[in-house]
Amino acid sequence: MLTTLRTDITIEQICEGFVYNEYEGKGLFGLAGKLTIQPEYQRNYIYADGKKDVAVIQSVLKGYPIGLIYFTKVSDNEFEVLDGQQRITSIGRFLTGKFPILDENGMQQYFRGLAENLQRKILDTKLTIYECSGTESEIKEWFKTINIVGVPLNEQELLNAIYSGPFVTLAKAEFSNSQNANIQKWAAYISGDVKRQDYLRTALMWVSKGNIDDYMSRHRYVTNITELKTYFNSVIDWISSVFIDVETEMRGLNWGAFYERFHANAYNPNDVHDKMKALYADYFVKNRKGVFEYILSGCTDTKLLDIRIFDDVTKRTVYERQTTDATARGISNCPLCALGSDNNKQRIYKLKEMDADHVTAWSNGGATDISNCTMLCATHNRAKGNK
């Protein structure tokens, strides 16, 4: 890849003809239309937080360098931003009145409200730019490795760059657009940031059964996202049909995997609601995130719920009681060993050799309190399970 250093381009020139569209995934332009600021392989603009964007402007006003910027030379008179999109967009948004900065007196100042000499200082600032020429694979490889300023690319942003094309463009427009009216509904089940591609990654994770890289490679030049949207909406509709309630703990679960395992099963939403209500009210359930898989899988795997265990005081109290009784009767202080016929029939175990267990299993309604606690040797406790 060939590079040419440019130090003659000013902010005023870069921002000539700057267009900013609030809808993510749309192209941003500058340099009098010669520069595409957000090529399709670039991530969305993420500096609009009143901190990072403001910091860029303050750095320019103080004369601080804002880092190297890389352009890809598409033709003799056309360029794309390879690295520096966030900084250039922040500057362009400030110049077009999209956000203010604070002056030395703590007062908000938009670009047009700045003193003329400060406006001029910003506009006349020259940027350090490398123009890069090379093959697509060279450009994409370089894009993956340069994260000079700002937030590093996450895994999905890198995949979007590697497999840029019509499929990624359409997928980003659907799943990476914070203006999409469906985001609020999806947010009940998906965690993360729309702009950082977390919703798109979830959709791809579901439809690809976890093999996102392969799926994006095979679909790179596909000109529709019908399969992606259909599968995603099927999962979302299935969740909302099974679970009447929307709980915080639903966010971020692997609903795609649950859909594959359980969507062929029949569920009564009212019964599911009652089970959820009971489990949420149960003091002994520690892991509420496991409630949903527990219900979907038939309410058998209590490990999903991380049931609260007996505390040390309870275990010691029960151990002392069992040991005193067993010693007096000449049998093992493990009730199950005492019923056997081997050498452990009369063995007295130390506390550290025993585990606490429910007499009546929690899954069968047994409480986690001293009246339902028994101490078993480690071997028998592991074998007993929920029997």
Side-chain angles (χ1 to χ4, degrees), residues 335-352:
L336 296 183
C337 285
L339 296 175
S341 57
D342 58 18
N343 293 334
N344 291 328
K345 182 177 177 66
Q346 296 178 313
R347 179 176 173 178
I348 299 297
Y349 292 90
K350 296 178 181 179
L351 176 59
K352 65 182 180 181

Side-chain angles (χ1 to χ4, degrees), residues 94-110:
F94 181 66
L95 266 57
T96 52
K98 296 296 191 294
F99 68 92
I101 61 172
L102 297 180
D103 62 19
E104 64 274 11
N105 298 313
M107 302 296 292
Q108 286 191 343
Q109 297 288 351
Y110 287 85

Side-chain angles (χ1 to χ4, degrees), residues 136-298:
E136 180 191 16
S137 59
E138 289 175 329
I139 295 297
K140 296 294 177 63
E141 184 62 30
W142 187 236
F143 178 74
K144 288 168 60 179
T145 59
I146 54 173
N147 288 295
I148 297 170
V149 175
V151 182
L153 298 173
N154 62 32
E155 188 172 355
Q156 188 57 48
E157 288 167 338
L158 284 173
L159 289 177
N160 288 351
I162 294 168
Y163 299 117
S164 63
F167 181 81
V168 166
T169 299
L170 292 169
K172 286 177 65 178
E174 177 72 15
F175 295 103
S176 302
N177 181 2
S178 63
Q179 305 301 314
N180 189 325
N182 291 313
I183 293 296
Q184 186 173 0
K185 176 182 178 181
W186 298 345
Y189 315 115
I190 300 172
S191 60
D193 185 344
V194 173
K195 294 183 179 181
R196 294 305 305 273
Q197 312 303 316
D198 293 321
Y199 283 56
L200 173 57
R201 185 166 184 79
T202 297
L204 289 166
M205 179 72 73
W206 291 354
V207 75
S208 70
K209 314 302 186 292
N211 198 349
I212 296 176
D213 199 304
D214 176 71
Y215 188 87
M216 292 184 71
S217 177
R218 289 188 292 105
H219 288 76
R220 180 176 183 181
Y221 298 109
V222 174
T223 56
N224 69 76
I225 57 169
T226 302
E227 181 183 57
L228 180 66
K229 286 181 63 175
T230 300
Y231 192 91
F232 179 84
N233 288 324
S234 295
V235 176
I236 294 294
D237 291 344
W238 174 74
I239 301 168
S240 57
S241 69
V242 174
F243 295 95
I244 298 172
D245 312 271
V246 176
E247 301 291 349
T248 303
E249 291 80 8
M250 287 180 159
R251 297 189 71 215
L253 296 179
N254 192 351
W255 289 107
F258 293 165
Y259 176 79
E260 285 296 312
R261 290 170 58 193
F262 305 120
H263 80 274
N265 299 342
Y267 298 96
N268 183 324
N270 292 318
D271 288 345
V272 171
H273 165 77
D274 291 340
K275 290 173 183 176
M276 278 190 59
K277 186 176 180 181
L279 289 167
Y280 262 65
D282 194 320
Y283 169 80
F284 301 111
V285 175
K286 289 175 65 178
N287 180 27
R288 286 184 171 181
K289 275 188 170 293
V291 163
F292 312 99
E293 185 177 358
Y294 177 75
I295 292 173
L296 290 171
S297 60

